[in-house]
């Protein structure tokens, strides 16, 4: 029974009396749990289990299994399958001859089983352990031709590392589907012999071949050619040509692409690009002072986006059919014979006023001359020598002695052109300077809606119609 102690003033002491006890109240809420105690000591390690599948356990897959071809088989007792096979430095982990995993030799590049080879030269610090073929600065065509010969019959790629490669004989790309690529201006082939025929520093005699990013230096002798293309469907891309008589020469095949090349110091009036083939594209080349020639009887050629040097008479000369000359800059254009020719959107400059034509149509038929800019020549556009069915429209022909000169031509339509000298005043013309001049063999021509400021049309031809032209 609980005892209650109270203080008694009279006796000056505690007195104990029995306490009154009521009924027990409800239980209070549980308190928060205490912190976990420290981990106990680990138990002893159990006995080792089985390391292979036995006959009695195979169906329940107890133990280790290993792969065996396309099936799962029982592992070998005592074998550590986590440890890789041992080998020597330079080996790889792979399948061995008996189709098991093991150390195998690393494959080497080169040889007829591989599609890409690398050629370098010791004169630029390349070494045999880094390339497949190493040149030494002497007769370097020997190693390069050996690399080409070692490719598979289906072709392949050869990378020519940076350096100067001295050649005493040509590079022969004599199989199909060969891709020969350098490092641009830092990979240079130097010709060290004179030619007696136009065979090329590089000669292509295989189909579907590509020469890319290689520079060539020639000797500028009579037959010096950078690249000779003798088979169809080949491309020359991003190459530099220096000191040649001709940069690129193609023969009587088809399907070539001449793209983004640069030409320096091409001899005299020789051609940067000499096309003797059909169905080809010549695009975005820097011509320097040289030009582009398309030989007679070759057709379906696109010449576009090329840049010339107007101070050195960069010329585009064609004699074939279905030629499109579009969007070139700094060039003179001459079309001798041929039909179905389009000359459009070019910027044509003459190298010497008084002696040249920026656009010449000489004996060609069915020609469209549209939207060109012609500046600074004796004749801006000249049509003559039995040319027929010529449309000349929307051209700007500025500061030429004769803007449009038509002679010995039938059925010529001249419309919507701007023809003027200086400010377009009559004082800007001498007696021998004209806006539009129809000579005595110009016949059945229509001349309308041209802006011919400063001087009216002079018509000495036959049966020509002139209407709505403004000259003052």
């Amino acid at each position: 029974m609980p005892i209650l102690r109270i203080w008694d003033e009279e006796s000056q002491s505690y007195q104990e009396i029995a306490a009154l006890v009521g009924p027990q109240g409800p239980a209070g809420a549980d308190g928060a749990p205490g912190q976990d105690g420290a981990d106990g000591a680990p138990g002893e390690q159990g006995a080792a289990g089985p390391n292979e599948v036995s006959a009695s356990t195979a169906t329940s897959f107890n133990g280790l299994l290993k792969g065996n071809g396309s099936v799962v088989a029982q592992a070998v007792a005592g074998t550590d399958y986590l440890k890789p096979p041992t080998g020597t430095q330079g080996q790889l982990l792979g399948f061995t001859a008996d189709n098991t995993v093991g150390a195998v030799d690393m494959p080497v590049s080169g040889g007829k089983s591989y599609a890409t080879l690398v050629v370098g030269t010791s004169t630029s610090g390349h070494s045999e352990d880094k390339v497949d073929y190493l040149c030494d600065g002497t007769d370097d065509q020997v190693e390069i031709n050996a690399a080409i010969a070692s490719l598979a019959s289906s072709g392949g790629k050869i990378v020519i590392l940076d350096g100067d490669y001295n050649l005493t004989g040509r590079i022969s790309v004599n199989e199909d589907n060969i891709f020969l690529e350098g490092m641009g201006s830092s990979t240079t082939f130097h010709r060290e012999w004179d030619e007696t025929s136009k065979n090329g520093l590089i000669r292509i005699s295989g189909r579907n071949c590509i020469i890319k990013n290689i520079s060539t230096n020639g000797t500028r002798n009579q037959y010096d050619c950078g690249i000779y293309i003798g088979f169809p469907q080949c491309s020359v891309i991003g190459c530099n040509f220096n000191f040649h008589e001709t940069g690129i020469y193609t023969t009587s095949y088809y399907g070539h692409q001449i793209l983004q090349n640069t030409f320096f110091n091409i001899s005299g009036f020789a051609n940067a690009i000499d096309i003797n083939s059909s169905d080809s594209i010549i695009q975005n080349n820097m011509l320097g002072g040289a030009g582009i020639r398309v030989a007679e009887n070759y057709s379906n050629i696109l010449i576009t986006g090329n840049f010339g040097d107007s101070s050195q008479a960069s010329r585009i000369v064609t004699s074939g059919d279905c030629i499109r000359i579009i969007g070139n800059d700094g060039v003179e254009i001459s079309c001798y014979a041929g039909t179905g020719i389009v000359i459009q959107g070019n910027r044509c400059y003459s190298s010497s006023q008084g002696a040249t034509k920026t656009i010449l149509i000489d004996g060609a038929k069915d020609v469209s001359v549209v939207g060109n800019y012609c500046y600074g020549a004796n004749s801006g556009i000249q049509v003559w020598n039995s040319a027929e069915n010529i449309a000349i429209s929307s051209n700007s022909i500025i500061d030429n002695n004769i803007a449009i000169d038509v002679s010995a031509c039938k059925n010529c339509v001249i419309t919507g052109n701007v023809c003027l000298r200086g400010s377009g005043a009559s004082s800007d013309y001498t007696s021998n300077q004209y806006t539009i001049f129809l000579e005595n063999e110009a016949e059945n021509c229509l001349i309308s809606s041209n802006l011919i400021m400063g001087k009216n049309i002079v018509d000495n031809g036959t049966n020509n119609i002139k209407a709505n032209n403004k000259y003052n």
Side-chain angles (χ1 to χ4, degrees):
M1 177 179 295
I3 301 297
L4 180 65
R5 298 182 70 199
I6 63 174
W7 178 260
D8 183 18
E9 288 289 341
E10 189 173 320
S11 62
Q12 293 292 303
S13 63
Y14 286 100
Q15 302 294 319
E16 296 181 351
I17 60 175
L20 299 176
V21 178
Q24 183 176 357
D30 294 339
Q35 296 181 347
D36 292 341
D39 292 340
E44 294 182 0
Q45 183 174 349
N51 68 346
E52 61 182 349
V53 179
S54 64
S56 61
T57 59
T59 55
S60 60
F61 296 100
N62 293 323
L64 294 176
L65 301 175
K66 69 171 183 177
N68 183 15
S70 60
V71 300
V72 175
Q74 181 175 318
V76 178
T79 300
D80 185 355
Y81 289 97
L82 297 179
K83 182 179 179 180
T86 59
T88 60
Q89 184 176 359
Q91 289 187 305
L92 299 174
L93 185 63
F95 288 101
T96 60
D98 60 356
N99 203 32
T100 61
V101 176
V104 296
D105 292 331
M106 182 181 296
V108 295
S109 65
K112 294 187 177 180
S113 297
Y114 296 89
T116 300
L117 297 171
V118 178
V119 175
T121 175
S122 59
T123 61
S124 290
H126 307 136
S127 57
E128 289 183 344
D129 60 328
K130 296 296 193 300
V131 301
D132 298 292
Y133 290 85
L134 184 65
C135 300
D136 59 7
T138 302
D139 299 331
D140 290 332
Q141 77 280 356
V142 173
E143 289 82 5
I144 297 171
N145 286 331
I148 294 171
S150 70
L151 290 172
S153 59
S154 59
K157 182 176 180 179
I158 296 176
V159 176
I160 312 292
L161 300 181
D162 59 289
D164 292 299
Y165 297 83
N166 299 316
L167 311 181
T168 55
R170 69 181 48 86
I171 304 299
S172 297
V173 181
N174 51 11
E175 297 291 345
D176 296 346
N177 307 312
I178 291 177
F179 185 178
L180 190 66
E181 182 175 17
M183 302 292 170
S185 59
S186 62
T187 299
T188 304
F189 291 170
H190 299 274
R191 180 193 289 275
E192 294 189 337
W193 85 99
D194 284 336
E195 283 279 14
T196 57
S197 60
K198 190 173 288 188
N199 283 312
L201 186 66
I202 301 172
R203 182 182 177 92
I204 301 175
S205 52
R207 295 173 181 265
N208 303 315
C209 293
I210 300 172
I211 310 297
K212 185 175 182 181
N213 295 339
I214 289 175
S215 297
T216 65
N217 279 341
T219 60
R220 295 181 74 169
N221 84 322
Q222 180 180 357
Y223 301 103
D224 184 8
C225 171
I227 295 178
Y228 180 103
I229 302 176
F231 267 64
Q233 298 176 315
C234 294
S235 301
V236 180
I237 305 171
C239 293
N240 299 318
F241 299 87
N242 195 21
F243 288 106
H244 294 289
E245 175 74 11
T246 302
I248 300 171
Y249 184 90
T250 73
T251 55
S252 54
Y253 285 97
Y254 57 89
H256 300 127
Q257 296 187 75
I258 312 298
L259 312 175
Q260 301 173 354
N261 302 285
T262 303
F263 301 85
F264 306 94
N265 301 308
I266 303 300
S267 297
F269 294 102
N271 301 297
I273 304 169
D274 195 343
I275 300 296
N276 298 266
S277 53
S278 297
D279 305 320
S280 297
I281 298 174
I282 306 168
Q283 183 173 7
N284 295 345
N285 299 282
M286 301 293 292
L287 302 176
I292 299 169
R293 183 184 82 102
V294 178
E296 190 175 1
N297 299 323
Y298 298 102
S299 60
N300 299 321
I301 310 291
L302 172 62
I303 303 172
T304 182
N306 301 283
F307 286 82
D309 186 340
S310 59
S311 67
Q312 300 183 56
S314 297
R315 299 182 66 195
I316 297 174
V317 180
T318 73
S319 300
D321 299 335
C322 300
I323 310 295
R324 290 174 293 162
I325 306 171
I326 300 174
N328 302 281
D329 198 310
V331 297
E332 300 174 20
I333 298 171
S334 299
C335 297
Y336 298 94
T339 63
I341 299 167
V342 175
I343 304 171
Q344 180 176 349
N346 302 281
R347 290 170 57 88
C348 302
Y349 301 86
S350 171
S351 59
S352 58
Q353 189 178 69
T356 59
K357 302 89 177 172
T358 55
I359 296 178
L360 171 64
I361 310 300
D362 185 346
K365 295 177 173 60
D366 306 326
V367 180
S368 176
V369 183
V370 181
N372 301 281
Y373 176 79
C374 303
Y375 175 83
N378 182 51
S379 297
I381 299 174
Q382 184 177 41
V383 183
W384 74 314
N385 197 15
S386 301
E388 294 184 16
N389 308 327
I390 312 300
I392 302 172
S393 64
S394 302
N395 300 282
S396 296
I397 312 168
I398 310 300
D399 286 340
N400 302 275
N401 287 338
I402 304 174
I404 300 176
D405 184 3
V406 179
S407 63
C409 175
K410 294 181 180 180
N411 309 327
C412 184
V413 176
I414 303 171
T415 182
N417 301 283
V418 176
C419 305
L420 60 84
R421 289 181 54 83
S423 62
S426 59
S427 59
D428 292 317
Y429 295 82
T430 68
S431 60
N432 295 320
Q433 294 175 330
Y434 305 92
T435 54
I436 299 176
F437 184 32
L438 305 179
E439 300 192 45
N440 56 9
E441 294 184 55
E443 183 180 350
N444 296 329
C445 296
L446 171 64
I447 304 96
S448 70
S449 304
N450 298 283
L451 184 63
I452 47 175
M453 298 299 293
K455 197 167 189 175
N456 203 356
I457 298 168
V458 174
D459 182 4
N460 294 326
T462 302
N463 199 30
N464 301 307
I465 296 175
K466 302 174 290 296
N468 299 324
N469 299 286
K470 180 175 176 58
Y471 72 94
N472 57 21

